[in-house]
Amino acid sequence: MYLKNLIKEKIIKEFSEIFNTNPPDFVIEIPPQNFGDYSTNVAMISAKILKTSPLSIAKKLVESLKEDPDFKKVEVAGPGFINFELSPVLYANVVEKYFRKVEIPKVSSEKIQFEFVSANPTGPLTVGHGRQAIIGDILSRLNEAVGNKVVREYYFNDAGRQVKMLGHSTWIRYNELYGKHFEFGEDDYVATYLIDIAKEISEKYGDRYVNVWNDEIQSFFSSYSTAKIFEWIKKTLSKLNVPFDSYFSEQTLYTSGLTNEALEILRNRGYIYEKDGSVWFAVSKVLPSEEDRVIIRKNGDPTYFFSDIAYMLNKYRRGFDRVYYIWGADHHGYIPRMEAASKALGIPDGFFNVILHQFVTLKSGEEIVRMSKRHGEFVTLEDLIDAVGVDATRYFFAMMDPDTTLVFDVELAKSKKMDNPVYYVQYAHARISSLLKNATEKKIAFEDASLNSISKEERDLVRELDEFSDVVLNAVDQKKPQKLCNYAYSLSEKFHAYYTDHRIVDPENLEISRDRLKLCFAVKNVLEVTLSIIGVSAPEEM
RNA sequence: GCGCCCAUAGCUCAAUUGGAUAGAGCAACGGACUUCUAAUCCGUAGGUUGCAGGUUCAAUUCCUGCUGGGCGCGCCA
């Protein structure tokens, strides 16, 4: 970013002096091999507004840019690209900066909320939740890194109909322990993990609930089950290093009166009507192509959409500048009605945002593993973490674009043979750590190394280093965690190649050793920060 | 039928949101450890970027229409 910015500023200055106007948005990029260190498309982009050919614009610019001592070479190429070769001094400066400290520009200072996972406590987290947890956590870390204040929130319901079913199901499992058989209801949870909870209840409370069922017992089994499952969920999340700042209960929206307040606001603004004994929210009044939705059923029970509306109001009143809902692709149909609710409540555009991610499919060898919470046939997130480790779990979820379906081969992931890109990156870090240790043992101090002469491979490495903050800003902007993984991999790749070709610590060649060590140290710093945003450890040795 | 997402090497994925010659890993083949960690490196081979148009100096990227796959279209979440 230092080098690109420097070039950009110089171009803008020359451009406006020569053409008496500022250039349109243009880019500085690292071109393919043999086109110099950096290149720009400024001449081609501005051909239209200057009503001249790109080549003549480029030639004029090059004439004056050539005079700048920071550039070793400036030339026009192809249809009007301008290619730059930089003076070695600039490279030395960049290494010095990253050697001292890896700084991420603080470009924003908004208060942002990410709400994700938000699984109701009716079963252990699945692999799909894992993907969501990692996407949410990394986007949170990224936003914090660029200066935003972030709240990670988990929204849950522990008092609804599902929870009743859950309690009933645990009670059936509990009775089974005593040889009493009851049929599962249609919406009950047949899942076997409830047996563990049933056993625990049996151990603690004996047989006092066998064959008896009433409201009190219902509520006891429900709250015992959900509390236990929530314990599992929190344990899994903490194992994954996904720290939530707040767990938000749906019920509080009712007890605090916010649901009623939201209803009144919508009613006053004319978005509420009654039909067939139910209360409706007029989605179509905001988005004509959408259908209206029930928020209070005939029997007086609210739908989830009702509390979701109140929840949005709650988020808005808490003073967030923007909120993000991270949802699985199956929820996309829910977006329009939420958008409508946001508008109907008078919440400004841009506040409500959704990040969708596609599904995770589990594959075991050639066999597709079905996932169903109700039927208990699934590999839990916990299982996956135990099998492949936290670092690999995080990295694997992070490295895929949220927009693409992720096929996770369980057998492959469990196998120790698996070629794991996370190791590749960590290995680069460990190698550098080992170099530094080596240097310390040989008492080679490199803090003051000047990097007067810098080779082609080293310049490649430095340019990759200098991409770091651009990558971060890009990932934040596009909400794509995988950008970080791609970058970490690519930086590691360049380092490994460099390492193989160059002897870093060489007491016979102190001058060169110092330069190389300093460069490696800078690489290590950047790797460390990148890995820390991904949430993966940067080991000193492997 | 309508809506959202995806399609790039045999497989899993990149490609600096429109840039020059589309890149890695795995799988295949051939090389490099008496030398700082071989969990590494170097080389060979592998492509009509699903198809057809369009936009412009320039398209894997943007637009339109197809084809194929995933998901959704409940007073379920």
Side-chain angles (χ1 to χ4, degrees), chain A residues 261-273:
Chain A
E261 201 180 328
L263 183 62
E264 283 321 300
I265 292 173
L266 295 179
R267 203 192 294 278
N268 290 337
R269 289 169 159 258
Y271 290 102
I272 299 296
Y273 64 90

Side-chain angles (χ1 to χ4, degrees), chain A residues 33-34 454-461 463:
Chain A
Q33 288 296 312
N34 306 321
I454 188 160
S455 70
K456 185 183 175 303
E457 290 87 351
E458 286 163 339
R459 291 200 303 268
D460 286 349
L461 195 48
R463 263 179 280 133

Side-chain angles (χ1 to χ4, degrees), chain A residues 112-116 136-142 144 150-154 241-247:
Chain A
I112 299 179
Q113 184 205 53
F114 284 92
E115 184 225 311
F116 54 105
D137 185 45
I138 294 181
L139 292 180
S140 298
R141 291 176 195 230
L142 275 168
E144 283 167 345
V150 175
V151 170
R152 298 164 173 81
E153 187 150 300
Y154 187 121
N241 274 317
V242 177
F244 277 95
D245 302 298
S246 120
Y247 288 82

Side-chain angles (χ1 to χ4, degrees), chain A residues 115-135:
Chain A
E115 184 225 311
F116 54 105
V117 183
S118 295
N120 285 342
T122 52
L125 294 181
T126 64
V127 172
H129 293 126
R131 184 177 201 184
Q132 187 164 123
I134 297 310
I135 292 171

Side-chain angles (χ1 to χ4, degrees), chain A residues 155-170:
Chain A
Y155 177 71
F156 68 97
N157 172 276
D158 60 354
R161 189 181 118 83
Q162 313 236 9
V163 170
K164 280 189 178 174
M165 298 297 117
L166 184 79
H168 184 246
S169 309
T170 307

Side-chain angles (χ1 to χ4, degrees), chain A residues 270-273 275 280-294 305 336-341 343-344:
Chain A
Y271 290 102
I272 299 296
Y273 64 90
K275 194 182 90 185
W280 295 68
F281 169 60
V283 180
S284 64
K285 202 168 169 181
V286 185
L287 302 169
S289 60
E290 294 294 317
E291 288 172 23
D292 294 349
R293 303 288 164 177
V294 168
F305 183 39
R337 74 189 70 164
M338 289 292 279
E339 232 164 46
K343 284 203 169 70

